[in-house]
Amino acid sequence: MKIYAHRGASGTHPENTLAAFEEAARLGIHGVELDVHLSKDGELVVIHDETIDRTSNGVGYVKDLTLAELRAYDFGNWFNEEFARESIPTLEEVLKIFQQTAHHVNIELKSDIFPYEGMGEKVLYLVEKMGMSDRVLISSFDHEAVRNFKKLAPHIKVAILTMDVLVDAYDYARIVPADALHIYLPSAHRKTTKEALLKGAIIRVFTVNDEVNAHALEKRGVHAIFTDFPERMKSVLEKGEV
Ligand code: G3P
Ligand code: CA
């Protein structure tokens, strides 16, 4: 079972910062996950929430601030003062780190609240420019965005994100169409997941930070997990069940 570092190595470093991604890049894991929004001036920025309130010393919606305005804030100190100089990264800055490694990069399009017109096209342009289309995976809770991206770039893998317990998950993913399902941990233990796996679905589960669930999911045949603690989870899985 593969490991993706969720928002970078976000259990030990401030989520979605260069520090968190550099730490993930150092680890021999399969991949990394990150979240993108569009700034007021149309830049692709890496941050989880629609606002900067929780993860910086500023306030406001990402969509209402320019990149220069966003850069004025500190995105590390809230986590630990040791990271006080961390800034909000652009998608290009994060991809540059992984251009040098073999990691797969899961870009989550955060267009489920604000539609961020043209975001998919911008992501695609950047991924192609950086020659990373074979190592990039696009996902979103906005399944319309997943569908549109797949239409634009059939050669790039896409996944639907869901927190729901779906009926016929495998069939739904085919309708979108999506290459994989990224599902919420509680639903990973439900019958629908077992059925989807049996039908051949590719399933990755978020967010798995404990070894009991990690071993159970591996046994079940889940393809990958997203974890905030990639280094610890790597050693848990390498050791095997005791
Ligand atoms: O992509 C997996 C996971 O990151 C989805 O949920 O809220 O952490 O972005 P969230
Ligand atoms: Ca995410």
Side-chain angles (χ1 to χ4, degrees):
M1 186 171 68
K2 294 180 169 114
I3 292 175
Y4 283 81
H6 182 238
R7 310 178 194 172
S10 63
T12 51
H13 295 67
E15 65 181 59
N16 284 324
T17 61
L18 293 183
F21 294 119
E22 273 154 13
E23 173 64 7
R26 189 182 71 73
L27 304 173
I29 53 172
H30 178 75
V32 64
E33 189 260 4
L34 57 89
D35 307 289
V36 289
H37 291 256
L38 271 190
S39 67
K40 187 179 178 184
D41 50 345
E43 296 290 339
L44 293 164
V45 286
V46 178
I47 179 170
H48 180 270
D49 301 356
E50 281 67 34
T51 73
I52 64 170
D53 304 14
R54 181 178 61 87
T55 56
S56 83
N57 57 350
V59 289
Y61 285 99
V62 174
K63 70 173 181 56
D64 294 336
L65 296 161
T66 63
L67 179 60
E69 285 165 344
L70 288 165
R71 294 281 210 200
Y73 297 110
D74 178 331
F75 285 77
N77 197 53
W78 70 275
F79 185 82
N80 188 309
E81 61 188 20
E82 145 193 16
F83 298 107
R85 287 195 309 275
E86 288 301 320
S87 169
I88 188 170
T90 62
L91 179 60
E92 183 161 12
E93 286 170 334
V94 177
L95 291 183
K96 266 191 193 141
I97 294 176
F98 294 103
Q99 227 177 3
Q100 321 299 327
T101 74
H103 292 76
H104 286 237
V105 182
N106 177 196
I107 301 173
E108 182 187 340
L109 307 176
K110 282 285 185 197
S111 54
D112 43 311
I113 308 282
F114 301 118
Y116 295 126
E117 285 307 326
M119 183 160 75
E121 287 81 352
K122 284 184 190 218
V123 168
L124 176 59
Y125 174 80
L126 184 63
V127 166
E128 296 287 17
K129 186 180 91 171
M130 299 186 75
M132 293 177 75
S133 57
D134 56 338
R135 280 196 289 134
V136 157
L137 161 65
I138 302 295
S139 66
S140 189
F141 287 102
D142 173 0
H143 299 176
E144 224 171 39
V146 172
R147 168 175 281 186
N148 291 340
F149 196 95
K150 194 65 182 174
K151 218 177 265 173
L152 279 176
H155 58 294
I156 295 182
K157 296 278 190 249
V158 299
I160 47 165
L161 270 160
T162 182
M163 294 187 77
D164 298 325
V165 180
L166 297 177
V167 171
D168 295 335
Y170 175 82
D171 299 324
Y172 178 71
R174 280 175 62 122
I175 287 166
V176 172
D179 303 294
L181 292 122
H182 292 183
I183 64 171
Y184 187 43
L185 176 56
S187 62
H189 297 299
R190 305 288 289 255
K191 194 172 105 201
T192 180
T193 300
K194 199 174 176 183
E195 286 170 356
L197 282 167
L198 281 173
K199 283 185 173 176
I202 293 177
I203 295 197
R204 306 184 183 99
V205 179
F206 63 94
T207 304
V208 184
N209 289 331
D210 71 286
E211 51 188 286
V212 173
N213 272 307
H215 288 309
L217 294 172
E218 186 165 50
K219 211 182 258 175
R220 176 157 273 212
V222 158
H223 297 83
I225 54 169
F226 299 90
T227 179
D228 300 329
F229 296 92
E231 187 166 32
R232 175 156 58 78
M233 211 42 92
K234 183 173 184 285
S235 92
V236 160
L237 291 178
E238 280 169 357
K239 261 191 236 140
E241 219 168 348
V242 281

